[in-house]
Amino acid sequence: MPPQPVERQRAGRQSRQRWLDGGHGRAFPCSPLTRSKSIRTSGFWLLAPFFALFAIFWLAPVIGGVRLSLQSDTLFGPAESVGLANYRALLDDPRFFKALRNTLTYTLASIVVILPLALLLAEALHHCWPRLKGVLTFVLLLPGLTPPAVLALLFLLVFHGRNGLLNQWLVMPFGFAPIDWLKDPAWILPALVLQAAWRWLGLIAFFLLAGRESLPRPLYEVAALETNRRWPVFRRVTIPMLRHVLVFAGVYLVVDAFAMFSGAYVLLGGSGGTADAGLLLINYTYQQAFSFGKFGTAAAMSLAIAPLLLGVLAVCLLGKRRAQP
Amino acid sequence: MMRPSSRRWSILATSLLLLAALVFAYPFIWMLLAAGKSNAEIFNPRQFWPTAWSLEPARRLLSGEWFPFWRVLGNSVLVAAGQALLATVVTSLAGYTFANARGRTDKWFFALALVTIVLPVQALAIPLFSWVNELQLINRLWGVILPGVASGLGVIWFTQIFRQVPASLREAARLDGAGEWRVWWLLLPAVAPALVSYGLIHFILASHDHLLPLLILSTQDQQTLPVALASLYDSSLRYPYAALMAGSLLSILPAASLFALGFRRFKTALADVLMH
């Protein structure tokens, strides 16, 4: 028996799954007898370990954070309750908005740079000489496996003033003046984006490759009957078929960009760089708390990030739903 | 589907990739060579080969001159492996339950589990720091391991995976009188690639975390390798950078070798999760 019309509006996979499951016992009349009670009771215990840890190490800090954000900035001694003053102060803090703008720019730029290049790399990996495929994938992935603090150490040398690799190899040979990547406010953010691209390209390409390889071959055989050119097939078959992976990659990059700490921290020595050009939200939070001792302000800031991230993710996921035929 | 252009296309793709691989690998090769260079040579990136191979700095690093190297490396592996293992168990339990659940409350619990993605522990670092302090876990490896275990990513991953396990397997186990715990246990071999892959992903994510170890592990013998290396970098310019390069290379080793081992399983599981 097919699923109810209401359910049909949901993702096709889910309803198909329900049907296979004998969802609600409609397809297989025997299943409700064995299911109904056991899930309600012992399912709860299977969730218990997760939610115990969730309560202790996520919920408790969130509550602590809310309390902290409503107090004045004193770590020791009696803190006064100040209501929403910390949040209000946030709205008046130009550095917060600077950090917000930087984070959003950084996020958007890294997605715009990484996704198309990763698609290209994945397609190349798919077509490349089979014997080299494993090695090449692994080499491309290597930066993603490296701890970001170590990457940043390395990048200090890549971005280093006049003597850095980028200047010596790519900027000066073409007759441009050397760029002081980490000091010049105009170039700090591009340097961070470049670092993100180098770090994540291989991993995202790997995600896309895994998806690409599981696409059915007949699809491409049919497409080959229609056209002989590569680009239309890539654009009209590969990209739409990989949209789940692309959305996943986008979400991954957004979350990573918002949690980005160590890269900027090591690269810029814990500050926001010249004129705060590289100040990101998490780094600013850290600076407020541990350089200035303003724990209340920092907590308010941390909590203000969450709805923002939720908003950005909601936009991504709505885009996904919209993209679905 | 061998079209005449296919061969040319594969040559083009391979050469593009070789070029990309060179760009990606170059810094690592450079780092390897830099482990044998003097400070002056390191700050002249145009010099590719070291003039005199000196393994002295690496030896001093390994002998624990600046920090107890082997202990710190062990801490890194322990933190990442411990968190990955616990997270795999805990989130696969939750994912198994959510994959079978269809009540309204289950949906709310599922959404609740995903909140950890939106507000990651890194963003909660400050209250978490004082809370971990109250729990007496400060400067202990558990203080870094436990906060990362309840991962929303893992819940999504395993919910997707367990939805693809044929219902007949589960029903068969249940008809044999197995309780939910036992069914979960019996289904694990069927999702082995996914278990390995998630463990791998979590291992990498956990070993990349910098903020929590930096805050929570304060003494040298409890630190993780990236934090110790970064603090070495901050401290001064007196020690040889070659040691830093050697240490950095070694810090990549655990994740890279695990990845090389689990590579194939990872790819199949990834396709399963991402394409459905």
Side-chain angles (χ1 to χ4, degrees):
Chain A
M1 191 173 161
Q4 298 291 313
V6 188
E7 284 171 349
R8 201 177 294 154
Q9 287 170 359
R10 301 189 180 278
R13 169 182 45 74
Q14 206 178 338
S15 47
R16 191 178 70 229
Q17 196 63 47
R18 280 185 188 193
W19 185 81
L20 282 173
D21 265 4
H24 305 296
R26 261 177 266 130
F28 305 111
C30 68
S31 49
L33 295 175
T34 50
R35 170 169 303 138
S36 53
K37 269 234 172 91
S38 63
I39 278 210
R40 279 286 144 262
T41 50
S42 67
F44 171 78
W45 290 109
L46 295 176
L47 288 177
F50 180 87
F51 281 101
L53 284 164
F54 174 87
I56 300 172
F57 290 103
W58 191 87
L59 204 57
V62 168
I63 294 169
V66 171
R67 242 181 39 210
L68 208 59
S69 74
L70 301 176
Q71 288 172 355
S72 60
D73 288 324
T74 40
L75 185 57
F76 302 107
E80 299 164 45
S81 169
V82 292
L84 292 175
N86 284 329
Y87 291 93
R88 229 170 286 136
L90 218 53
L91 293 179
D92 292 332
D93 180 4
R95 290 192 74 203
F96 175 71
F97 284 100
K98 178 103 192 176
L100 182 62
R101 223 180 47 219
N102 284 344
T103 306
L104 288 176
T105 315
Y106 168 76
T107 311
L108 198 71
S110 38
I111 289 180
V112 167
V113 170
I114 291 174
L115 285 188
L117 284 176
L119 261 173
L120 179 73
L121 281 183
E123 193 64 15
L125 277 171
H126 187 69
H127 288 290
C128 105
W129 196 37
R131 283 214 195 146
L132 281 176
K133 199 180 198 171
V135 180
L136 286 174
T137 317
F138 189 72
V139 170
L140 294 184
L141 270 167
L142 215 47
L145 300 179
T146 310
V150 170
L151 276 188
L153 284 180
L154 202 55
F155 262 64
L156 273 173
L157 298 161
V158 173
F159 289 129
H160 199 268
R162 193 185 172 78
N163 284 334
L165 284 178
L166 268 178
N167 278 330
Q168 292 285 347
W169 283 44
L170 286 175
V171 181
M172 280 151 74
F174 293 100
F176 296 105
I179 295 169
D180 201 347
W181 291 91
L182 299 176
K183 298 270 165 53
D184 186 342
W187 289 102
I188 289 178
L189 227 70
L192 290 178
V193 172
L194 214 60
Q195 184 195 250
W198 189 66
R199 183 171 169 216
W200 292 126
L201 252 179
L203 192 72
I204 304 292
F206 182 63
F207 287 162
L208 289 165
L209 176 69
R212 177 70 175 80
E213 287 188 346
S214 68
L215 293 184
R217 275 195 93 110
L219 202 67
Y220 286 90
E221 278 157 21
V222 171
L225 295 179
E226 296 261 333
T227 174
N228 214 1
R229 290 180 306 150
R230 299 270 171 174
W231 172 247
V233 178
F234 182 66
R235 212 187 84 93
R236 307 212 174 247
V237 180
T238 308
I239 293 181
M241 288 300 280
L242 289 177
R243 63 177 186 278
H244 284 297
V245 191
L246 285 170
V247 168
F248 174 81
V251 170
Y252 183 89
L253 288 173
V254 168
V255 171
D256 179 75
F258 269 77
M260 160 90 164
F261 171 74
S262 50
Y265 178 72
V266 177
L267 222 44
L268 304 174
S271 77
T274 317
D276 284 335
L279 189 71
L280 300 179
L281 280 171
I282 299 251
N283 293 69
Y284 189 34
T285 318
Y286 180 86
Q287 201 184 28
Q288 287 283 2
F290 294 99
S291 305
F292 307 147
K294 292 179 165 181
F295 281 82
T297 311
M301 214 180 306
S302 299
L303 292 170
I305 297 175
L308 275 170
L309 186 51
L310 191 66
V312 175
L313 286 182
V315 169
C316 288
L317 294 176
L318 276 182
K320 176 188 179 183
R321 194 151 298 174
R322 187 78 48 83
Q324 258 165 14
Chain B
M1 186 173 65
M2 273 312 267
R3 282 187 288 156
S5 69
S6 234
R7 207 183 143 71
R8 224 177 31 193
W9 204 257
S10 120
I11 292 172
L12 186 70
T14 313
S15 31
L16 174 77
L17 284 169
L18 283 172
L19 191 71
L22 189 69
V23 173
F24 276 65
Y26 182 82
F28 292 98
I29 299 169
W30 186 84
M31 192 150 74
L32 182 70
L33 294 173
K37 287 179 186 170
S38 69
N39 275 3
E41 288 173 311
I42 284 180
F43 280 105
N44 177 17
R46 267 194 296 187
Q47 176 168 7
F48 191 66
W49 298 102
T51 38
W53 276 94
S54 157
L55 289 176
E56 185 61 15
R59 197 195 56 75
R60 281 163 74 191
L61 175 79
L62 298 190
S63 70
E65 188 171 324
W66 297 288
F67 54 86
F69 182 83
W70 296 107
R71 168 102 200 232
V72 165
L73 180 65
N75 287 344
S76 285
V77 174
L78 216 60
V79 164
Q83 203 185 85
L85 201 68
L86 283 174
T88 307
V89 172
V90 165
T91 56
S92 71
L93 276 168
Y96 166 76
T97 314
F98 285 130
N100 300 331
R102 33 185 68 73
R104 186 174 287 272
T105 42
D106 300 309
K107 281 212 182 97
W108 281 107
F109 272 110
F110 186 66
L112 196 62
L114 301 195
V115 186
T116 55
I117 298 178
V118 184
L119 197 56
V121 272
Q122 281 81 6
L124 293 171
I126 290 127
L128 185 69
F129 169 70
S130 52
W131 174 234
V132 165
N133 200 5
E134 271 174 58
L135 291 174
Q136 311 276 319
L137 285 174
I138 214 88
N139 203 23
R140 290 209 200 155
L141 293 186
W142 282 117
V144 180
I145 292 175
L146 290 175
V149 170
S151 146
L153 188 69
V155 172
I156 296 191
W157 177 277
F158 283 111
T159 307
Q160 287 278 26
I161 283 290
F162 277 108
R163 274 197 189 140
Q164 291 164 49
V165 174
S168 52
L169 271 181
R170 211 173 53 233
E171 296 297 332
R174 232 178 250 139
L175 285 178
D176 281 345
E180 287 293 303
W181 289 90
R182 183 107 186 107
V183 178
W184 168 76
W185 179 250
L186 290 173
L187 287 184
L188 285 187
V191 296
L195 289 173
V196 173
S197 317
Y198 185 73
L200 208 56
I201 294 180
H202 204 107
F203 183 93
I204 291 164
L205 289 180
S207 62
H208 283 185
D209 192 14
H210 196 81
L211 183 52
L212 290 187
L214 179 68
L215 292 177
I216 289 171
L217 305 173
S218 46
T219 60
Q220 265 200 341
D221 61 336
Q222 294 291 78
Q223 264 172 357
T224 57
L225 190 50
V227 177
L229 286 173
S231 68
L232 202 62
Y233 181 83
D234 285 342
S235 59
S236 69
L237 294 169
R238 274 177 292 125
Y239 64 89
Y241 270 67
L244 203 63
M245 296 300 148
S248 303
L249 271 181
L250 285 170
S251 74
I252 306 171
L253 219 55
S257 43
L258 269 182
F259 202 90
L261 287 175
F263 194 60
R264 284 205 183 278
R265 291 187 158 198
F266 192 30
K267 205 149 76 177
T268 32
L270 213 56
D272 281 349
V273 172
L274 291 175
M275 298 303 288
H276 295 279

